[in-house]
Amino acid sequence: MLYSTVREFFPLYKAPRGTSDILPDEQGYWRYVEEKAALLCQLYGYQRITTPVFEDLRLFSRTVAEGTDIVDKEMYIFQDRSGQKLALSPEGTAPICRAYLEHGLYNLPQPVRLYYIASAFRYERPQAGRQRQHHQFGFEALGDADPALDAEVIEMANQFFLSLGLSGFSIQINSIGCRTCRPNYIEALKQHYSPHVASLCPDCQVRFTRNPLRLLDCKKPSCQKLAKTAPKSIDYLCNDCRTHFESVQKYLTALGLSFQVKHRLVRGLDYYTRTVFEIESQREGAQSALGGGGRYDDLMEQLGGDSTPSVGFAAGIERMVRSLKAQEVNIPALPKSDVFVAYRGDEAKLEAMKLALRLRRSQIAVMEATGNRSLKGQMRQANTSGANHTIIIGKTEVENQTVILRDMKSGEQKSVPSAEVEAALEGVNTA
Ligand code: HAM
């Protein structure tokens, strides 16, 4: 007795830190986001792909890359019983590129447009909008270098947030060049930072040698001061990258999108080339990035494939749900049961079970009472179920082959022949 009381107050198990249960109350938001995502992708010609929750560890260490926080500090890594090193996917792009190469999707007309809704795992310090397991909706256009495709992906991301009913977000873009021009830029960055290395935060001191581009992304005030005066990547672009970035901006403008060029935007994954972009909520405080993406023209080669220029985007579903709530966007209610079936006595229970089965086969959603609760208890359950009608079967109804049909709003009740329940429900639903 004492043990069970203690357990009630201190459950033995809790969801691991940084993860959360999505309870039925929340599911309306998730269904809304997922339906809008599917509709958007259909409109833009993107098809769904699902990849495994875990992958070969090297897939991420080669692409997202060592020297990034995600690979160095945040991956969930484990060895399976055969000794293979695996990682829970921290993001969706590298797995999709792996699938593209593995299944020869390069044989299809290019670009191949794919989308996904998947879990992502990162061992981060949990806070509002930052979890260790989060969910992403993302889309990728693989196998085409046209800057019009960058514009398509950015516009599509913008359209997605609009279709959710969200407002107050902004689009930031930048170009971080390619393998030809970026080394010159990295060199200029290092020159800018080198007299000040001792004053950098410990993380940035490591970044200075391992991943200088990430210096621009540090949120610490002392490092931000240096980032503000740092050289800009767009001043170091080669001719091809400059033309590409100008075209992206020209197309975005032609599509009527407003955006800002943010010189310090570099993104937290290493596979990007040329265009990078982020969509930020101006209303949320910390963790305001609703989504981000960019071009990754070299990623397929890093995985052993041919050159396959590609571009994509992903947004965090938890952050969208947070914004939908904060902005009080009206979400359609999830469908409830049409009918609750209550009974009194064993014979009536059998009839109730058979009737419920029959109604469900006619596409009528039925919730059934169970156990030997009093009729009063069953009616309470009927009320909370949200069903519009309750069917009550007692001894008299079994004998007469009828049911009592109760309208839950008006409280009106009538006796209906059991064989005519579907018609009676149809009548009230269409009246
Ligand atoms: P990312 O910026 O790392 O990009 O993640 C995409 C989005 O996922 C973020 O903008 C944010 O909304 C959400 N997110 C990231 N980490 C967390 C977290 N710990 N908790 C809650 N939400 C989070 C990528 O993952 C790239 N694969 C995007 C991409 C697709 N680039 C090209 N194609």
Side-chain angles (χ1 to χ4, degrees), residues 184-193 213 216 226-236 263-264:
N184 295 336
Y185 176 57
I186 300 285
E187 199 40 53
L189 257 189
K190 288 191 92 164
Q191 273 181 22
H192 173 74
Y193 277 89
L213 212 53
L216 296 173
L226 271 172
K228 271 187 194 142
T229 52
K232 299 170 180 169
S233 55
I234 55 168
D235 293 334
Y236 290 80
H263 301 297
R264 282 187 284 150

mmCIF file with all atom_site columns, all heavy atoms in Angstrom, residues 184-193 213 216 226-236 263-264:
data_model
loop_
_atom_site.group_PDB
_atom_site.id
_atom_site.type_symbol
_atom_site.label_atom_id
_atom_site.label_alt_id
_atom_site.label_comp_id
_atom_site.label_asym_id
_atom_site.label_entity_id
_atom_site.label_seq_id
_atom_site.pdbx_PDB_ins_code
_atom_site.Cartn_x
_atom_site.Cartn_y
_atom_site.Cartn_z
_atom_site.occupancy
_atom_site.B_iso_or_equiv
_atom_site.pdbx_formal_charge
_atom_site.auth_seq_id
_atom_site.auth_comp_id
_atom_site.auth_asym_id
_atom_site.auth_atom_id
_atom_site.pdbx_PDB_model_num
ATOM 1   N N   . ASN A 1 184 ? 40.359 31.070 -49.061 1.00 0.00 ? 184 ASN A N   1
ATOM 2   C CA  . ASN A 1 184 ? 40.843 32.464 -48.954 1.00 0.00 ? 184 ASN A CA  1
ATOM 3   C C   . ASN A 1 184 ? 40.090 33.195 -47.849 1.00 0.00 ? 184 ASN A C   1
ATOM 4   O O   . ASN A 1 184 ? 40.653 33.988 -47.097 1.00 0.00 ? 184 ASN A O   1
ATOM 5   C CB  . ASN A 1 184 ? 40.616 33.234 -50.263 1.00 0.00 ? 184 ASN A CB  1
ATOM 6   C CG  . ASN A 1 184 ? 41.447 32.664 -51.377 1.00 0.00 ? 184 ASN A CG  1
ATOM 7   O OD1 . ASN A 1 184 ? 42.482 32.038 -51.108 1.00 0.00 ? 184 ASN A OD1 1
ATOM 8   N ND2 . ASN A 1 184 ? 40.994 32.837 -52.607 1.00 0.00 ? 184 ASN A ND2 1
ATOM 9   N N   . TYR A 1 185 ? 38.804 32.940 -47.785 1.00 0.00 ? 185 TYR A N   1
ATOM 10  C CA  . TYR A 1 185 ? 38.002 33.597 -46.754 1.00 0.00 ? 185 TYR A CA  1
ATOM 11  C C   . TYR A 1 185 ? 38.403 33.124 -45.351 1.00 0.00 ? 185 TYR A C   1
ATOM 12  O O   . TYR A 1 185 ? 38.576 33.940 -44.437 1.00 0.00 ? 185 TYR A O   1
ATOM 13  C CB  . TYR A 1 185 ? 36.507 33.340 -46.994 1.00 0.00 ? 185 TYR A CB  1
ATOM 14  C CG  . TYR A 1 185 ? 35.643 33.931 -45.895 1.00 0.00 ? 185 TYR A CG  1
ATOM 15  C CD1 . TYR A 1 185 ? 35.712 35.293 -45.587 1.00 0.00 ? 185 TYR A CD1 1
ATOM 16  C CD2 . TYR A 1 185 ? 34.806 33.122 -45.134 1.00 0.00 ? 185 TYR A CD2 1
ATOM 17  C CE1 . TYR A 1 185 ? 34.968 35.830 -44.567 1.00 0.00 ? 185 TYR A CE1 1
ATOM 18  C CE2 . TYR A 1 185 ? 34.033 33.660 -44.101 1.00 0.00 ? 185 TYR A CE2 1
ATOM 19  C CZ  . TYR A 1 185 ? 34.124 35.017 -43.824 1.00 0.00 ? 185 TYR A CZ  1
ATOM 20  O OH  . TYR A 1 185 ? 33.392 35.552 -42.808 1.00 0.00 ? 185 TYR A OH  1
ATOM 21  N N   . ILE A 1 186 ? 38.609 31.816 -45.220 1.00 0.00 ? 186 ILE A N   1
ATOM 22  C CA  . ILE A 1 186 ? 39.019 31.265 -43.907 1.00 0.00 ? 186 ILE A CA  1
ATOM 23  C C   . ILE A 1 186 ? 40.338 31.905 -43.469 1.00 0.00 ? 186 ILE A C   1
ATOM 24  O O   . ILE A 1 186 ? 40.521 32.256 -42.297 1.00 0.00 ? 186 ILE A O   1
ATOM 25  C CB  . ILE A 1 186 ? 39.179 29.719 -43.986 1.00 0.00 ? 186 ILE A CB  1
ATOM 26  C CG1 . ILE A 1 186 ? 37.837 29.063 -44.385 1.00 0.00 ? 186 ILE A CG1 1
ATOM 27  C CG2 . ILE A 1 186 ? 39.719 29.130 -42.687 1.00 0.00 ? 186 ILE A CG2 1
ATOM 28  C CD1 . ILE A 1 186 ? 36.785 29.000 -43.341 1.00 0.00 ? 186 ILE A CD1 1
ATOM 29  N N   . GLU A 1 187 ? 41.225 32.066 -44.438 1.00 0.00 ? 187 GLU A N   1
ATOM 30  C CA  . GLU A 1 187 ? 42.520 32.680 -44.140 1.00 0.00 ? 187 GLU A CA  1
ATOM 31  C C   . GLU A 1 187 ? 42.319 34.104 -43.601 1.00 0.00 ? 187 GLU A C   1
ATOM 32  O O   . GLU A 1 187 ? 42.906 34.494 -42.585 1.00 0.00 ? 187 GLU A O   1
ATOM 33  C CB  . GLU A 1 187 ? 43.360 32.693 -45.436 1.00 0.00 ? 187 GLU A CB  1
ATOM 34  C CG  . GLU A 1 187 ? 44.847 32.858 -45.242 1.00 0.00 ? 187 GLU A CG  1
ATOM 35  C CD  . GLU A 1 187 ? 45.421 32.088 -44.058 1.00 0.00 ? 187 GLU A CD  1
ATOM 36  O OE1 . GLU A 1 187 ? 45.182 30.860 -43.984 1.00 0.00 ? 187 GLU A OE1 1
ATOM 37  O OE2 . GLU A 1 187 ? 46.076 32.729 -43.189 1.00 0.00 ? 187 GLU A OE2 1
ATOM 38  N N   . ALA A 1 188 ? 41.437 34.861 -44.276 1.00 0.00 ? 188 ALA A N   1
ATOM 39  C CA  . ALA A 1 188 ? 41.173 36.251 -43.855 1.00 0.00 ? 188 ALA A CA  1
ATOM 40  C C   . ALA A 1 188 ? 40.541 36.270 -42.460 1.00 0.00 ? 188 ALA A C   1
ATOM 41  O O   . ALA A 1 188 ? 40.877 37.120 -41.623 1.00 0.00 ? 188 ALA A O   1
ATOM 42  C CB  . ALA A 1 188 ? 40.245 36.926 -44.862 1.00 0.00 ? 188 ALA A CB  1
ATOM 43  N N   . LEU A 1 189 ? 39.663 35.307 -42.198 1.00 0.00 ? 189 LEU A N   1
ATOM 44  C CA  . LEU A 1 189 ? 39.034 35.222 -40.871 1.00 0.00 ? 189 LEU A CA  1
ATOM 45  C C   . LEU A 1 189 ? 40.088 34.975 -39.799 1.00 0.00 ? 189 LEU A C   1
ATOM 46  O O   . LEU A 1 189 ? 40.081 35.600 -38.738 1.00 0.00 ? 189 LEU A O   1
ATOM 47  C CB  . LEU A 1 189 ? 38.065 34.044 -40.844 1.00 0.00 ? 189 LEU A CB  1
ATOM 48  C CG  . LEU A 1 189 ? 36.566 34.283 -40.953 1.00 0.00 ? 189 LEU A CG  1
ATOM 49  C CD1 . LEU A 1 189 ? 35.822 32.988 -40.684 1.00 0.00 ? 189 LEU A CD1 1
ATOM 50  C CD2 . LEU A 1 189 ? 36.087 35.375 -40.009 1.00 0.00 ? 189 LEU A CD2 1
ATOM 51  N N   . LYS A 1 190 ? 40.988 34.041 -40.107 1.00 0.00 ? 190 LYS A N   1
ATOM 52  C CA  . LYS A 1 190 ? 42.020 33.689 -39.114 1.00 0.00 ? 190 LYS A CA  1
ATOM 53  C C   . LYS A 1 190 ? 42.923 34.893 -38.829 1.00 0.00 ? 190 LYS A C   1
ATOM 54  O O   . LYS A 1 190 ? 43.292 35.135 -37.678 1.00 0.00 ? 190 LYS A O   1
ATOM 55  C CB  . LYS A 1 190 ? 42.837 32.493 -39.595 1.00 0.00 ? 190 LYS A CB  1
ATOM 56  C CG  . LYS A 1 190 ? 42.032 31.204 -39.523 1.00 0.00 ? 190 LYS A CG  1
ATOM 57  C CD  . LYS A 1 190 ? 42.883 29.986 -39.735 1.00 0.00 ? 190 LYS A CD  1
ATOM 58  C CE  . LYS A 1 190 ? 43.379 29.458 -38.415 1.00 0.00 ? 190 LYS A CE  1
ATOM 59  N NZ  . LYS A 1 190 ? 43.892 28.100 -38.466 1.00 0.00 ? 190 LYS A NZ  1
ATOM 60  N N   . GLN A 1 191 ? 43.208 35.622 -39.881 1.00 0.00 ? 191 GLN A N   1
ATOM 61  C CA  . GLN A 1 191 ? 44.045 36.820 -39.672 1.00 0.00 ? 191 GLN A CA  1
ATOM 62  C C   . GLN A 1 191 ? 43.324 37.818 -38.766 1.00 0.00 ? 191 GLN A C   1
ATOM 63  O O   . GLN A 1 191 ? 43.934 38.444 -37.906 1.00 0.00 ? 191 GLN A O   1
ATOM 64  C CB  . GLN A 1 191 ? 44.355 37.478 -41.011 1.00 0.00 ? 191 GLN A CB  1
ATOM 65  C CG  . GLN A 1 191 ? 45.594 36.871 -41.646 1.00 0.00 ? 191 GLN A CG  1
ATOM 66  C CD  . GLN A 1 191 ? 45.919 37.525 -42.969 1.00 0.00 ? 191 GLN A CD  1
ATOM 67  O OE1 . GLN A 1 191 ? 45.503 38.647 -43.243 1.00 0.00 ? 191 GLN A OE1 1
ATOM 68  N NE2 . GLN A 1 191 ? 46.658 36.802 -43.802 1.00 0.00 ? 191 GLN A NE2 1
ATOM 69  N N   . HIS A 1 192 ? 42.035 37.944 -38.973 1.00 0.00 ? 192 HIS A N   1
ATOM 70  C CA  . HIS A 1 192 ? 41.236 38.874 -38.167 1.00 0.00 ? 192 HIS A CA  1
ATOM 71  C C   . HIS A 1 192 ? 41.232 38.448 -36.690 1.00 0.00 ? 192 HIS A C   1
ATOM 72  O O   . HIS A 1 192 ? 41.351 39.282 -35.787 1.00 0.00 ? 192 HIS A O   1
ATOM 73  C CB  . HIS A 1 192 ? 39.800 38.901 -38.709 1.00 0.00 ? 192 HIS A CB  1
ATOM 74  C CG  . HIS A 1 192 ? 38.842 39.681 -37.861 1.00 0.00 ? 192 HIS A CG  1
ATOM 75  N ND1 . HIS A 1 192 ? 38.832 41.055 -37.798 1.00 0.00 ? 192 HIS A ND1 1
ATOM 76  C CD2 . HIS A 1 192 ? 37.847 39.261 -37.014 1.00 0.00 ? 192 HIS A CD2 1
ATOM 77  C CE1 . HIS A 1 192 ? 37.876 41.461 -36.978 1.00 0.00 ? 192 HIS A CE1 1
ATOM 78  N NE2 . HIS A 1 192 ? 37.264 40.391 -36.480 1.00 0.00 ? 192 HIS A NE2 1
ATOM 79  N N   . TYR A 1 193 ? 41.122 37.148 -36.456 1.00 0.00 ? 193 TYR A N   1
ATOM 80  C CA  . TYR A 1 193 ? 40.995 36.667 -35.073 1.00 0.00 ? 193 TYR A CA  1
ATOM 81  C C   . TYR A 1 193 ? 42.346 36.443 -34.386 1.00 0.00 ? 193 TYR A C   1
ATOM 82  O O   . TYR A 1 193 ? 42.416 36.469 -33.155 1.00 0.00 ? 193 TYR A O   1
ATOM 83  C CB  . TYR A 1 193 ? 40.195 35.352 -35.035 1.00 0.00 ? 193 TYR A CB  1
ATOM 84  C CG  . TYR A 1 193 ? 38.693 35.554 -35.050 1.00 0.00 ? 193 TYR A CG  1
ATOM 85  C CD1 . TYR A 1 193 ? 37.981 35.632 -36.246 1.00 0.00 ? 193 TYR A CD1 1
ATOM 86  C CD2 . TYR A 1 193 ? 37.978 35.681 -33.861 1.00 0.00 ? 193 TYR A CD2 1
ATOM 87  C CE1 . TYR A 1 193 ? 36.607 35.813 -36.260 1.00 0.00 ? 193 TYR A CE1 1
ATOM 88  C CE2 . TYR A 1 193 ? 36.593 35.871 -33.870 1.00 0.00 ? 193 TYR A CE2 1
ATOM 89  C CZ  . TYR A 1 193 ? 35.917 35.921 -35.072 1.00 0.00 ? 193 TYR A CZ  1
ATOM 90  O OH  . TYR A 1 193 ? 34.569 36.112 -35.079 1.00 0.00 ? 193 TYR A OH  1
ATOM 91  N N   . LEU A 1 213 ? 35.106 29.020 -39.376 1.00 0.00 ? 213 LEU A N   1
ATOM 92  C CA  . LEU A 1 213 ? 33.839 29.611 -39.831 1.00 0.00 ? 213 LEU A CA  1
ATOM 93  C C   . LEU A 1 213 ? 32.845 29.737 -38.680 1.00 0.00 ? 213 LEU A C   1
ATOM 94  O O   . LEU A 1 213 ? 32.063 30.692 -38.586 1.00 0.00 ? 213 LEU A O   1
ATOM 95  C CB  . LEU A 1 213 ? 33.257 28.709 -40.927 1.00 0.00 ? 213 LEU A CB  1
ATOM 96  C CG  . LEU A 1 213 ? 32.450 29.358 -42.042 1.00 0.00 ? 213 LEU A CG  1
ATOM 97  C CD1 . LEU A 1 213 ? 33.208 30.482 -42.713 1.00 0.00 ? 213 LEU A CD1 1
ATOM 98  C CD2 . LEU A 1 213 ? 32.054 28.296 -43.068 1.00 0.00 ? 213 LEU A CD2 1
ATOM 99  N N   . LEU A 1 216 ? 32.045 32.819 -36.161 1.00 0.00 ? 216 LEU A N   1
ATOM 100 C CA  . LEU A 1 216 ? 31.069 33.889 -36.423 1.00 0.00 ? 216 LEU A CA  1
ATOM 101 C C   . LEU A 1 216 ? 29.741 33.646 -35.721 1.00 0.00 ? 216 LEU A C   1
ATOM 102 O O   . LEU A 1 216 ? 28.933 34.559 -35.564 1.00 0.00 ? 216 LEU A O   1
ATOM 103 C CB  . LEU A 1 216 ? 30.828 34.001 -37.938 1.00 0.00 ? 216 LEU A CB  1
ATOM 104 C CG  . LEU A 1 216 ? 32.045 34.413 -38.755 1.00 0.00 ? 216 LEU A CG  1
ATOM 105 C CD1 . LEU A 1 216 ? 31.752 34.326 -40.239 1.00 0.00 ? 216 LEU A CD1 1
ATOM 106 C CD2 . LEU A 1 216 ? 32.440 35.845 -38.395 1.00 0.00 ? 216 LEU A CD2 1
ATOM 107 N N   . LEU A 1 226 ? 34.048 40.670 -31.827 1.00 0.00 ? 226 LEU A N   1
ATOM 108 C CA  . LEU A 1 226 ? 35.021 40.389 -32.898 1.00 0.00 ? 226 LEU A CA  1
ATOM 109 C C   . LEU A 1 226 ? 34.327 39.934 -34.176 1.00 0.00 ? 226 LEU A C   1
ATOM 110 O O   . LEU A 1 226 ? 34.753 40.255 -35.281 1.00 0.00 ? 226 LEU A O   1
ATOM 111 C CB  . LEU A 1 226 ? 35.972 39.284 -32.428 1.00 0.00 ? 226 LEU A CB  1
ATOM 112 C CG  . LEU A 1 226 ? 37.205 39.740 -31.684 1.00 0.00 ? 226 LEU A CG  1
ATOM 113 C CD1 . LEU A 1 226 ? 37.938 38.532 -31.119 1.00 0.00 ? 226 LEU A CD1 1
ATOM 114 C CD2 . LEU A 1 226 ? 38.136 40.505 -32.638 1.00 0.00 ? 226 LEU A CD2 1
ATOM 115 N N   . ALA A 1 227 ? 33.219 39.177 -33.988 1.00 0.00 ? 227 ALA A N   1
ATOM 116 C CA  . ALA A 1 227 ? 32.488 38.672 -35.158 1.00 0.00 ? 227 ALA A CA  1
ATOM 117 C C   . ALA A 1 227 ? 31.902 39.832 -35.965 1.00 0.00 ? 227 ALA A C   1
ATOM 118 O O   . ALA A 1 227 ? 31.859 39.791 -37.193 1.00 0.00 ? 227 ALA A O   1
ATOM 119 C CB  . ALA A 1 227 ? 31.398 37.712 -34.716 1.00 0.00 ? 227 ALA A CB  1
ATOM 120 N N   . LYS A 1 228 ? 31.482 40.858 -35.249 1.00 0.00 ? 228 LYS A N   1
ATOM 121 C CA  . LYS A 1 228 ? 30.839 41.996 -35.922 1.00 0.00 ? 228 LYS A CA  1
ATOM 122 C C   . LYS A 1 228 ? 31.779 42.696 -36.902 1.00 0.00 ? 228 LYS A C   1
ATOM 123 O O   . LYS A 1 228 ? 31.348 43.198 -37.936 1.00 0.00 ? 228 LYS A O   1
ATOM 124 C CB  . LYS A 1 228 ? 30.359 43.022 -34.877 1.00 0.00 ? 228 LYS A CB  1
ATOM 125 C CG  . LYS A 1 228 ? 28.956 42.709 -34.402 1.00 0.00 ? 228 LYS A CG  1
ATOM 126 C CD  . LYS A 1 228 ? 28.397 43.794 -33.515 1.00 0.00 ? 228 LYS A CD  1
ATOM 127 C CE  . LYS A 1 228 ? 27.169 43.272 -32.813 1.00 0.00 ? 228 LYS A CE  1
ATOM 128 N NZ  . LYS A 1 228 ? 27.024 43.722 -31.444 1.00 0.00 ? 228 LYS A NZ  1
ATOM 129 N N   . THR A 1 229 ? 33.055 42.737 -36.555 1.00 0.00 ? 229 THR A N   1
ATOM 130 C CA  . THR A 1 229 ? 34.016 43.446 -37.423 1.00 0.00 ? 229 THR A CA  1
ATOM 131 C C   . THR A 1 229 ? 34.771 42.481 -38.351 1.00 0.00 ? 229 THR A C   1
ATOM 132 O O   . THR A 1 229 ? 35.700 42.900 -39.056 1.00 0.00 ? 229 THR A O   1
ATOM 133 C CB  . THR A 1 229 ? 35.028 44.216 -36.545 1.00 0.00 ? 229 THR A CB  1
ATOM 134 O OG1 . THR A 1 229 ? 35.578 43.291 -35.589 1.00 0.00 ? 229 THR A OG1 1
ATOM 135 C CG2 . THR A 1 229 ? 34.371 45.371 -35.819 1.00 0.00 ? 229 THR A CG2 1
ATOM 136 N N   . ALA A 1 230 ? 34.368 41.204 -38.329 1.00 0.00 ? 230 ALA A N   1
ATOM 137 C CA  . ALA A 1 230 ? 35.083 40.196 -39.137 1.00 0.00 ? 230 ALA A CA  1
ATOM 138 C C   . ALA A 1 230 ? 34.846 40.424 -40.629 1.00 0.00 ? 230 ALA A C   1
ATOM 139 O O   . ALA A 1 230 ? 33.832 40.999 -41.017 1.00 0.00 ? 230 ALA A O   1
ATOM 140 C CB  . ALA A 1 230 ? 34.598 38.802 -38.746 1.00 0.00 ? 230 ALA A CB  1
ATOM 141 N N   . PRO A 1 231 ? 35.789 39.972 -41.479 1.00 0.00 ? 231 PRO A N   1
ATOM 142 C CA  . PRO A 1 231 ? 35.560 40.070 -42.927 1.00 0.00 ? 231 PRO A CA  1
ATOM 143 C C   . PRO A 1 231 ? 34.309 39.279 -43.334 1.00 0.00 ? 231 PRO A C   1
ATOM 144 O O   . PRO A 1 231 ? 33.924 38.330 -42.648 1.00 0.00 ? 231 PRO A O   1
ATOM 145 C CB  . PRO A 1 231 ? 36.821 39.447 -43.536 1.00 0.00 ? 231 PRO A CB  1
ATOM 146 C CG  . PRO A 1 231 ? 37.604 38.872 -42.433 1.00 0.00 ? 231 PRO A CG  1
ATOM 147 C CD  . PRO A 1 231 ? 37.082 39.367 -41.133 1.00 0.00 ? 231 PRO A CD  1
ATOM 148 N N   . LYS A 1 232 ? 33.697 39.711 -44.447 1.00 0.00 ? 232 LYS A N   1
ATOM 149 C CA  . LYS A 1 232 ? 32.455 39.072 -44.895 1.00 0.00 ? 232 LYS A CA  1
ATOM 150 C C   . LYS A 1 232 ? 32.745 38.041 -45.977 1.00 0.00 ? 232 LYS A C   1
ATOM 151 O O   . LYS A 1 232 ? 33.512 38.334 -46.909 1.00 0.00 ? 232 LYS A O   1
ATOM 152 C CB  . LYS A 1 232 ? 31.518 40.142 -45.470 1.00 0.00 ? 232 LYS A CB  1
ATOM 153 C CG  . LYS A 1 232 ? 31.127 41.190 -44.461 1.00 0.00 ? 232 LYS A CG  1
ATOM 154 C CD  . LYS A 1 232 ? 30.401 42.331 -45.155 1.00 0.00 ? 232 LYS A CD  1
ATOM 155 C CE  . LYS A 1 232 ? 30.012 43.383 -44.117 1.00 0.00 ? 232 LYS A CE  1
ATOM 156 N NZ  . LYS A 1 232 ? 29.539 44.610 -44.733 1.00 0.00 ? 232 LYS A NZ  1
ATOM 157 N N   . SER A 1 233 ? 32.067 36.903 -45.882 1.00 0.00 ? 233 SER A N   1
ATOM 158 C CA  . SER A 1 233 ? 32.332 35.842 -46.866 1.00 0.00 ? 233 SER A CA  1
ATOM 159 C C   . SER A 1 233 ? 31.996 36.292 -48.282 1.00 0.00 ? 233 SER A C   1
ATOM 160 O O   . SER A 1 233 ? 32.686 35.915 -49.235 1.00 0.00 ? 233 SER A O   1
ATOM 161 C CB  . SER A 1 233 ? 31.551 34.575 -46.511 1.00 0.00 ? 233 SER A CB  1
ATOM 162 O OG  . SER A 1 233 ? 30.170 34.870 -46.396 1.00 0.00 ? 233 SER A OG  1
ATOM 163 N N   . ILE A 1 234 ? 30.960 37.129 -48.441 1.00 0.00 ? 234 ILE A N   1
ATOM 164 C CA  . ILE A 1 234 ? 30.568 37.498 -49.812 1.00 0.00 ? 234 ILE A CA  1
ATOM 165 C C   . ILE A 1 234 ? 31.644 38.344 -50.517 1.00 0.00 ? 234 ILE A C   1
ATOM 166 O O   . ILE A 1 234 ? 31.657 38.440 -51.728 1.00 0.00 ? 234 ILE A O   1
ATOM 167 C CB  . ILE A 1 234 ? 29.193 38.218 -49.879 1.00 0.00 ? 234 ILE A CB  1
ATOM 168 C CG1 . ILE A 1 234 ? 29.134 39.432 -48.976 1.00 0.00 ? 234 ILE A CG1 1
ATOM 169 C CG2 . ILE A 1 234 ? 28.061 37.275 -49.552 1.00 0.00 ? 234 ILE A CG2 1
ATOM 170 C CD1 . ILE A 1 234 ? 27.908 40.301 -49.271 1.00 0.00 ? 234 ILE A CD1 1
ATOM 171 N N   . ASP A 1 235 ? 32.553 38.954 -49.722 1.00 0.00 ? 235 ASP A N   1
ATOM 172 C CA  . ASP A 1 235 ? 33.637 39.713 -50.347 1.00 0.00 ? 235 ASP A CA  1
ATOM 173 C C   . ASP A 1 235 ? 34.747 38.804 -50.872 1.00 0.00 ? 235 ASP A C   1
ATOM 174 O O   . ASP A 1 235 ? 35.692 39.282 -51.495 1.00 0.00 ? 235 ASP A O   1
ATOM 175 C CB  . ASP A 1 235 ? 34.231 40.718 -49.342 1.00 0.00 ? 235 ASP A CB  1
ATOM 176 C CG  . ASP A 1 235 ? 33.226 41.809 -48.992 1.00 0.00 ? 235 ASP A CG  1
ATOM 177 O OD1 . ASP A 1 235 ? 32.347 42.078 -49.836 1.00 0.00 ? 235 ASP A OD1 1
ATOM 178 O OD2 . ASP A 1 235 ? 33.298 42.360 -47.872 1.00 0.00 ? 235 ASP A OD2 1
ATOM 179 N N   . TYR A 1 236 ? 34.666 37.519 -50.570 1.00 0.00 ? 236 TYR A N   1
ATOM 180 C CA  . TYR A 1 236 ? 35.725 36.589 -50.986 1.00 0.00 ? 236 TYR A CA  1
ATOM 181 C C   . TYR A 1 236 ? 35.217 35.549 -51.988 1.00 0.00 ? 236 TYR A C   1
ATOM 182 O O   . TYR A 1 236 ? 35.910 34.584 -52.280 1.00 0.00 ? 236 TYR A O   1
ATOM 183 C CB  . TYR A 1 236 ? 36.318 35.890 -49.746 1.00 0.00 ? 236 TYR A CB  1
ATOM 184 C CG  . TYR A 1 236 ? 37.120 36.851 -48.905 1.00 0.00 ? 236 TYR A CG  1
ATOM 185 C CD1 . TYR A 1 236 ? 36.478 37.724 -48.020 1.00 0.00 ? 236 TYR A CD1 1
ATOM 186 C CD2 . TYR A 1 236 ? 38.514 36.928 -49.027 1.00 0.00 ? 236 TYR A CD2 1
ATOM 187 C CE1 . TYR A 1 236 ? 37.203 38.645 -47.267 1.00 0.00 ? 236 TYR A CE1 1
ATOM 188 C CE2 . TYR A 1 236 ? 39.239 37.834 -48.275 1.00 0.00 ? 236 TYR A CE2 1
ATOM 189 C CZ  . TYR A 1 236 ? 38.588 38.696 -47.399 1.00 0.00 ? 236 TYR A CZ  1
ATOM 190 O OH  . TYR A 1 236 ? 39.313 39.599 -46.672 1.00 0.00 ? 236 TYR A OH  1
ATOM 191 N N   . HIS A 1 263 ? 25.633 38.607 -42.845 1.00 0.00 ? 263 HIS A N   1
ATOM 192 C CA  . HIS A 1 263 ? 27.009 38.202 -43.134 1.00 0.00 ? 263 HIS A CA  1
ATOM 193 C C   . HIS A 1 263 ? 27.561 37.160 -42.180 1.00 0.00 ? 263 HIS A C   1
ATOM 194 O O   . HIS A 1 263 ? 28.480 36.431 -42.518 1.00 0.00 ? 263 HIS A O   1
ATOM 195 C CB  . HIS A 1 263 ? 27.920 39.442 -43.140 1.00 0.00 ? 263 HIS A CB  1
ATOM 196 C CG  . HIS A 1 263 ? 27.481 40.427 -44.162 1.00 0.00 ? 263 HIS A CG  1
ATOM 197 N ND1 . HIS A 1 263 ? 27.475 40.137 -45.499 1.00 0.00 ? 263 HIS A ND1 1
ATOM 198 C CD2 . HIS A 1 263 ? 26.983 41.687 -44.049 1.00 0.00 ? 263 HIS A CD2 1
ATOM 199 C CE1 . HIS A 1 263 ? 27.021 41.175 -46.176 1.00 0.00 ? 263 HIS A CE1 1
ATOM 200 N NE2 . HIS A 1 263 ? 26.698 42.127 -45.317 1.00 0.00 ? 263 HIS A NE2 1
ATOM 201 N N   . ARG A 1 264 ? 26.994 37.117 -40.971 1.00 0.00 ? 264 ARG A N   1
ATOM 202 C CA  . ARG A 1 264 ? 27.544 36.173 -39.988 1.00 0.00 ? 264 ARG A CA  1
ATOM 203 C C   . ARG A 1 264 ? 26.826 34.825 -39.994 1.00 0.00 ? 264 ARG A C   1
ATOM 204 O O   . ARG A 1 264 ? 27.102 33.973 -39.170 1.00 0.00 ? 264 ARG A O   1
ATOM 205 C CB  . ARG A 1 264 ? 27.506 36.788 -38.593 1.00 0.00 ? 264 ARG A CB  1
ATOM 206 C CG  . ARG A 1 264 ? 28.650 37.780 -38.412 1.00 0.00 ? 264 ARG A CG  1
ATOM 207 C CD  . ARG A 1 264 ? 28.719 38.262 -37.004 1.00 0.00 ? 264 ARG A CD  1
ATOM 208 N NE  . ARG A 1 264 ? 27.679 39.222 -36.722 1.00 0.00 ? 264 ARG A NE  1
ATOM 209 C CZ  . ARG A 1 264 ? 27.120 39.386 -35.525 1.00 0.00 ? 264 ARG A CZ  1
ATOM 210 N NH1 . ARG A 1 264 ? 27.498 38.646 -34.512 1.00 0.00 ? 264 ARG A NH1 1
ATOM 211 N NH2 . ARG A 1 264 ? 26.197 40.295 -35.345 1.00 0.00 ? 264 ARG A NH2 1
#
